[in-house]
Amino acid sequence: MLAKEDILEIERMVEQIIARQPDEKNNANVRNELDLRERTVRVEEELKHQRDLMIQGFDAMDKRFEQMERRFEQVDKRFEQVDKSFELVDKRFEEMRKDMNTGFMEMNRRLDRFMYWTLGLVVSATVLVIIIK
């Protein structure tokens, strides 16, 4: 059996071990908390970097949209020019149609005169032939 001194020594050693246990748990908790804080800081930095990248991407998209808007404005201007060109061509065709109608009317009037003169000459020649015979 153990002597009373040995038992007291063992009790003292057990009490010391038990007393040390909370410190080790506290140290582990402190270590875990420091690790978590460090990880949180790294995650926050990465999130900030991702936010910066997203902002850059959105800025690039805005610039691209502005370029596209300018291009669409240029295309609209070109369509307006083409429309004006078609209007000019349409006006020219209309003028040509009017000129052709005027020309055909003039030609028709001349043909009518020619036919009258021809008929008049044929009738006069026939009358002269009949009279002379």
Side-chain angles (χ1 to χ4, degrees):
M1 292 252 312
L2 294 174
K4 217 173 193 187
E5 290 177 5
D6 290 334
I7 293 175
L8 288 175
E9 182 66 27
I10 291 172
E11 283 180 359
R12 194 173 44 82
M13 287 174 62
V14 169
E15 287 175 358
Q16 285 178 355
I17 290 172
I18 291 175
R20 271 191 282 161
Q21 284 293 348
D23 288 340
E24 289 178 11
K25 283 186 180 179
N26 284 340
N27 286 340
N29 286 340
V30 168
R31 243 184 273 127
N32 282 341
E33 186 142 338
L34 288 175
D35 287 344
L36 286 175
R37 285 182 185 176
E38 189 176 314
R39 286 182 187 172
T40 304
V41 167
R42 277 190 254 137
V43 167
E44 287 174 350
E45 288 174 356
E46 186 60 31
L47 287 173
K48 181 181 178 191
H49 179 69
Q50 289 295 323
R51 188 184 75 218
D52 291 343
L53 289 176
M54 288 174 63
I55 289 171
Q56 288 175 358
F58 289 139
D59 289 343
M61 286 175 57
D62 286 343
K63 288 178 184 177
R64 181 66 179 139
F65 283 134
E66 288 174 5
Q67 290 174 350
M68 289 174 60
E69 283 182 26
R70 282 191 229 118
R71 180 67 179 138
F72 282 133
E73 288 173 1
Q74 291 174 351
V75 169
D76 285 344
K77 288 179 183 177
R78 181 67 180 139
F79 277 132
E80 289 173 5
Q81 290 174 350
V82 169
D83 283 345
K84 288 178 183 177
S85 176
F86 280 139
E87 288 175 5
L88 290 174
V89 168
D90 190 41
K91 285 180 184 178
R92 285 179 54 202
F93 278 133
E94 185 67 28
E95 289 173 4
M96 287 174 58
R97 189 180 63 81
K98 286 179 183 177
D99 290 345
M100 286 176 56
N101 282 342
T102 304
F104 284 134
M105 299 274 287
E106 180 65 26
M107 185 185 296
N108 194 14
R109 191 176 58 80
R110 285 183 179 183
L111 281 173
D112 285 346
R113 280 188 187 167
F114 176 74
M115 286 173 40
Y116 291 140
W117 277 96
T118 304
L119 179 66
L121 287 174
V122 168
V123 169
S124 300
T126 305
V127 169
L128 280 175
V129 167
I130 292 176
I131 291 179
I132 293 179
K133 255 193 178 192

